[in-house]
Structure formats: structure tokens, C-alpha cells
Amino acid sequence: MALVTTTEMFKKAYEGGYAIGAFNVNNMEIVQAITEAAGELNSPVILQVSAGARKYANHTYLVKLVEAALIENPNIPIALHLDHGADFEICKSCIDGGFTSVMIDGSKYSFQENIELTKKVVEYAHAHGVVVEAELGKLAGIEDDVKVSAEDSSYTQPDEVEEFVTKTGVDSLAIAIGTSHGAYKFKPGTKPQLRFDILHEIEQRIPGFPIVLHGASSVPQEYVKIINENGGKLKDAIGVPEDQLREAARSAVCKINIDSDLRLGLTAGVLQTLHGDPSIFDPREYLKVGRANVKAVVAHKIKDVLGSENKA
Ligand code: G3H
Ligand code: 13P
Ligand code: ZN
């Protein structure tokens, strides 16, 4: 099977009340871990690449790694997606360079500017058989050196979504309902609560339209503990409760973005291995433990959070 767009995946996910996991990839071990888990569980999957990942690993290496994963896992649908495209140029480069889906993130612009930019990307992408995700509202947290403070973040306004999707022709929409990027999503002592009222209002305004949730890591405390016990220092790292993500997956949310949880699993494996036996200096010894953790995280998400097992 060749790489697919997300169109069919989202249609089935919407109708079936589940979501597709979109996992960030930065190197071979991460690509292997995600696709092995998805392959074994017969689940569709989205592999997403940020600008930072392209800078780190190089566009061609990442595309070829994903193509290798496709050969190793021929029975599951895999989409290759640009995460948080900042401008038309990076979207064009990924569309021309083998991606099947791109995100144009115009959330930092005014509503009208976001519409104009998104429309331009949609026109180019659709002419090349590629689908587009856009964002309305602003998430707090860190992406690619851009830090949005909690005060500058803002929920998506439901009364804007219909005009936005109609005028842009976009294929899916990322919304802000209380998630944020990174491992520090909520203040210690507070009760994390996503704004399902906003999500449901959006659902009613654009029925059948696929919604995307960014910043959806749950920050597994067992990995935070392992990291802190083995030389790391992650204080008060708190994520989105998984029962709320399960609830979101049953709604119009068709794509759930997870990166931080993979980072935590990988880092926990590496630190635990090296701390346990400081004589190790073969990278395969510690990376294979990190890779196994990432695979376990993805398998858990597919089975217990997203509901995409056996939906390939
Ligand atoms: O949205 C942020 C993702 O976790 C990607 O992070 O830009 O550091 O690769 P990155
Ligand atoms: P997390 O930091 O919660 O994993 O979010 C990842 C993300 O939204 C990538 O676009
Ligand atoms: Zn994101």
C-alpha cells in the first residue's frame, strides 16, 4: 500500500466514534516503534514531522524511513503529515516532497489572515492530491522554539468555525479546548478539564467535519518517575487525563496528536539503561529499551485511548 491521505481514515473514524493517533517522528527508532505497534494492532496511523524534525533528521531521511515502515507494514494505512507548517513555503516543500497531508498553522495571525494563508495552501495542496489541516484558537506551550504563554493562549470561538472551513476549503480543523504542548500542561493541584462544551458547540456548527486535538499527551507518571530516579529532573509534569481523551475520540475529534509521551518513554528507557549499567556505550543497548517504551506507549494509546485497534 502507498502512503494515504487522511480523508478515508477520518471518515471512518468520525462514523465509528474513534480517533487516529498522530505521532511525531524524529528518527528511525521512533518510526519503527510507532509502526510496529500500529501494524500489530491493525490500526491506521499518522506519522507527523515538525519543522524541527526536518531540521534534525533531514526531509529525505524521514520520508525514506516512513517508506521503509510502509514496506514492513503493508496492511495498515499510513499517512505522512507536516505538523505545524508555519508558512506556505514549508507546506509546498512537503507537498512536493512526498507528504500526503500538511498542517498550515495560521493560529498566530488574525482571523482574516489565517483564512487567506490557509486558502492558499489548500489550493496548492488539493491540486496535488494532498489534504490540509488548519488551526483556529491558540494552544499554550512550546513548539519549535515558539513559546505561547497560558495568558496568550485562547480557546477556539465556535462562531468562527463555519466561516473558516467554508472560506478556506480546509479538510480538518485543530481547535483549542484546553490542551497544550509539552509535558507541563496544568498547574499542580488543579483539576485538568478540557472544554467539552466548546467542542460540542463546534460539532454542531460543522457536523461531519473532522476535528483535531493537539497537545494531547497524558504525561505517564511511571516514566516521569523513572526519569527522575535516574538522573533526570522533571518537576510537576502533568498531562491530559486519558478518560477525557477517550471521550474526545468518541466525538468529532478524528486526529489526536501525541509527541511528549513518546519523548518521555524514550528518555526513560535510555536513562534507566545507562544509570543501571554505566559501562554501556553501545547506542543499540539503550536505544532498544527506549524504542520498546515508545512502542508500548503507542500500543496503549491505540487500544485504550483512541479506539483504533482493528480499524485498518
Ligand atoms: O507540536 C509540537 C510537537 O511536539 C513537535 O515538537 O517542534 O520540538 O519537533 P518540535
Ligand atoms: P504533546 O506535546 O501533548 O505531545 O502534543 C504534540 C502535538 O500537538 C504535536 O503537534
Ligand atoms: Zn501540535
Side-chain angles (χ1 to χ4, degrees):
M1 199 191 284
L3 287 171
V4 297
T5 71
T6 53
T7 308
E8 192 63 20
M9 286 185 191
F10 287 170
K11 191 170 178 291
K12 287 188 185 166
Y14 199 107
E15 286 164 4
Y18 61 93
I20 313 291
F23 301 100
N24 287 73
V25 296
N26 293 280
N27 64 13
M28 181 188 76
E29 285 76 10
I30 297 173
V31 172
Q32 288 174 329
I34 298 164
T35 53
E36 272 178 31
E40 285 171 20
L41 294 169
N42 198 31
S43 167
V45 73
I46 299 167
L47 301 179
Q48 56 186 13
V49 168
S50 69
R54 281 175 104 228
K55 214 187 293 172
Y56 172 76
N58 172 301
H59 177 97
T60 310
Y61 278 94
L62 289 170
V63 170
K64 294 298 166 190
L65 283 171
V66 170
E67 285 174 4
L70 208 55
I71 293 169
E72 291 294 319
N73 299 278
N75 298 323
I76 54 163
I78 301 178
L80 177 55
H81 173 77
L82 168 67
D83 191 25
H84 292 285
D87 50 39
F88 175 79
E89 284 67 34
I90 189 170
C91 292
K92 180 178 184 302
S93 171
C94 290
I95 292 164
D96 296 344
F99 284 42
T100 54
S101 173
V102 294
M103 175 188 189
I104 176 67
D105 183 354
S107 60
K108 58 184 173 296
Y109 298 117
S110 72
F111 183 62
Q112 286 310 329
E113 287 166 334
N114 193 355
I115 288 179
E116 287 311 312
L117 178 60
T118 302
K119 197 162 171 263
K120 187 176 169 191
V121 172
V122 168
E123 277 164 13
Y124 189 81
H126 285 183
H128 293 79
V130 170
V131 291
V132 181
E133 171 188 329
E135 180 167 325
L136 261 187
K138 215 182 275 177
L139 267 70
I142 304 170
E143 328 151 3
D144 261 345
D145 309 330
V146 180
K147 188 171 183 337
V148 180
S149 68
E151 300 78 59
D152 290 334
S153 67
S154 54
Y155 294 125
T156 306
Q157 292 177 35
D159 60 0
E160 288 185 345
V161 295
E162 200 177 346
E163 182 183 349
F164 188 85
V165 304
T166 310
K167 286 194 170 159
T168 58
V170 77
D171 303 282
S172 62
L173 185 67
I175 61 166
I177 56 165
T179 61
S180 58
H181 290 109
Y184 303 92
K185 298 186 192 297
F186 300 97
K187 290 210 172 73
T190 60
K191 192 176 168 294
Q193 181 58 57
L194 301 186
R195 291 288 304 271
F196 283 101
D197 56 325
I198 298 178
L199 170 60
H200 294 316
E201 211 182 320
I202 291 170
E203 258 178 327
Q204 280 164 13
R205 286 177 188 257
I206 43 172
F209 195 82
I211 300 298
V212 178
L213 218 52
H214 282 247
S217 276
S218 294
V219 188
Q221 292 301 304
E222 65 270 29
Y223 288 137
V224 172
K225 188 163 178 278
I226 292 173
I227 290 170
N228 287 337
E229 283 172 357
N230 289 280
K233 217 175 198 172
L234 301 178
K235 197 176 172 317
D236 297 329
I238 299 167
V240 183
E242 287 190 335
D243 57 338
Q244 294 186 32
L245 294 171
R246 262 198 303 276
E247 188 178 337
R250 282 193 285 267
S251 75
V253 171
C254 294
K255 173 174 180 270
I256 292 191
N257 284 13
I258 296 166
D259 185 10
S260 296
D261 287 358
L262 310 189
R263 297 179 180 197
L264 290 165
L266 186 54
T267 303
V270 172
L271 285 180
Q272 192 172 31
T273 308
L274 291 176
H275 202 245
D277 182 355
S279 72
I280 289 175
F281 68 102
D282 179 344
R284 293 171 297 189
E285 288 299 309
Y286 49 83
L287 288 175
K288 74 180 175 196
V289 184
R291 180 174 58 188
N293 284 353
V294 175
K295 184 174 172 182
V297 169
V298 173
H300 164 65
K301 299 289 176 185
I302 288 172
K303 283 192 287 195
D304 306 322
V305 180
L306 303 159
S308 65
E309 185 179 6
N310 287 326
K311 307 290 188 190

